[in-house]
Amino acid sequence: MRYLSTGNAEASTSSGTPRPDSVMTSVNEQCEASPLVSKPANCETDEPSSYDAALEREFEVHDIGNLVDVGELENAFSFRKLLRFAGPGFAMSIAYLDPGNICSDLHCGAVAGYKLIWLLFLTHALGLYVQTLSARIGIVTGKNLAQHCHRQYPRSIRIPLWLICELAIIGSDIQESIGTAIALYLLFGVKIWAGILLAAVLSYVILGIQRFGARKVEGIFIAMIAVMCGCFGVEVLMASPDVGQIAKGLFIPRIPSNATVQAVGIVGAVIMPHNLFLHSALVGTRRIKRAADIRLASIREANFYTTLESAVALLFSFVINATILIVFADIYSRNSSDHSLLAVAAEQHLPGLIEAASLLRGAFGRAGPLLWAIGLLASGQSSTATGTMAGQYLMVGMMRLRVSPWLRVFISRSISLIPTMLVGVLATSYLDQFDEWLNVLQSLALPFALIPTLKLAQSHVVMSSDFATTRNWRLFGWVTAAAIIALNVYLLLPIMLQLALRGAAAACLAFSLLGLYLIFIAVLARFDVLSAVT
């Protein structure tokens, strides 16, 4: 359904000042070029061609069903109002709990013990910042991040940007589908390739529930988060870890010399590029009052409750990830006072998701691997569904591919399913190595979603002067982006040097690819998104 908002329509025409024909032509082109945005009834005569017009519309979120009415504007905090906004943040937080994160958590616990808990918390805090920016873009402008990228970037930038983000989604989906398949193997003995197919079928079922409304889908995601909390929470209680060591790991920043790769992997595993596109779209399921007299107050209220809900959701995500890290830190240090010796052994052979079940069986008996498999199944299946949803928004918003909802789901799933099946059939013994490389891929792709988010959020033309990020927050965002890019270069340089040792041609190719990567990042960072919509 399409939901129209009257916004400032009457105010915009009350002056009686005629508009130039050129402006009206631009307006008509804008309306024609925006199939995802509900065309206002007065689009032909009353809408100015600027981003201000976007503040007075609500966009259509495909396949989510009816929008959720958040009620009237309230002057005081309302828990009931918070519940009405609750949902998109928990769906977003699923990406922070996917099998790639779970694998990263157990590796950190095995190699570094409790020492990287602080870094896990920091990445979730940074995640809250960038997710808040993404959500604010969707709330304030009424358009999601992918739609803005289509409007702001020329085809020469937009197509490679879409391909990179789509590649990141494929990599994430490989992790999630294989995680689901491993869970099915541990629970029922299903072969990995068959588990991947079952994961695809189950994701279709979850996505099909979208037809019954946003609340139904969000309820499934919240239930799966509750399952993960229960399963992994029981395991940490069974482990009875050292609370003092947990506190030191949380409050004393340190990175062991043998855990640098795992520390960098946390960033790539936790903050995923496709999640920024997803969150900016999901907030559109809340119908915000945009009448002229209450528009600013209503948007501020939506920003507040959305940020609060995202913070609560990511707090749950942090706790779940921390419990996994703590359990495996406890297992690896239980029988030794010198954790560094076991860390060296863990470095030489990091445990995978299947091996982790054996470790839990040895530590907690039959209940250990059962709880692990159930939690892993909830993680893999829910994150597969949210990844497919992000792929839909990216495809439709950035590339304007106008296809039926079910065909769009089929295309999104098929793009990821084919490489996932190849990995599941041909490289079963290398699943853990693939997982590490796919976490690196997420980290490499993150700047290509983060930079457009930062540029749009700081633009007074896009967000208006009322909602554009302030100078200090802009500085914080760009420092964060620079740190992520520096970490990526740190990850890539050893690989480049290894390739360079294979000959001049390999060296030339390796450093050319690194140069292209950095040049494209620079182009995105320097590109002016402050211009009006064409």
Side-chain angles (χ1 to χ4, degrees), residues 96 116-130 249-250 253 255 266-267 270-271 314 318 476 480 483 487:
Y96 291 72
L116 294 180
I117 298 177
W118 69 273
L119 185 58
L120 190 64
F121 179 80
L122 178 62
T123 53
H124 279 77
L126 293 176
L128 176 61
Y129 170 70
V130 297
L250 179 60
I255 299 178
I266 286 180
V267 178
V270 171
I271 307 175
L314 288 180
F318 164 71
F476 177 77
T480 300
L487 283 174

Side-chain angles (χ1 to χ4, degrees), residues 365-383:
R366 295 178 61 184
L370 178 61
L371 291 169
W372 174 255
I374 295 173
L376 184 59
L377 180 61
S379 164
Q381 199 52 61
S382 57
S383 56

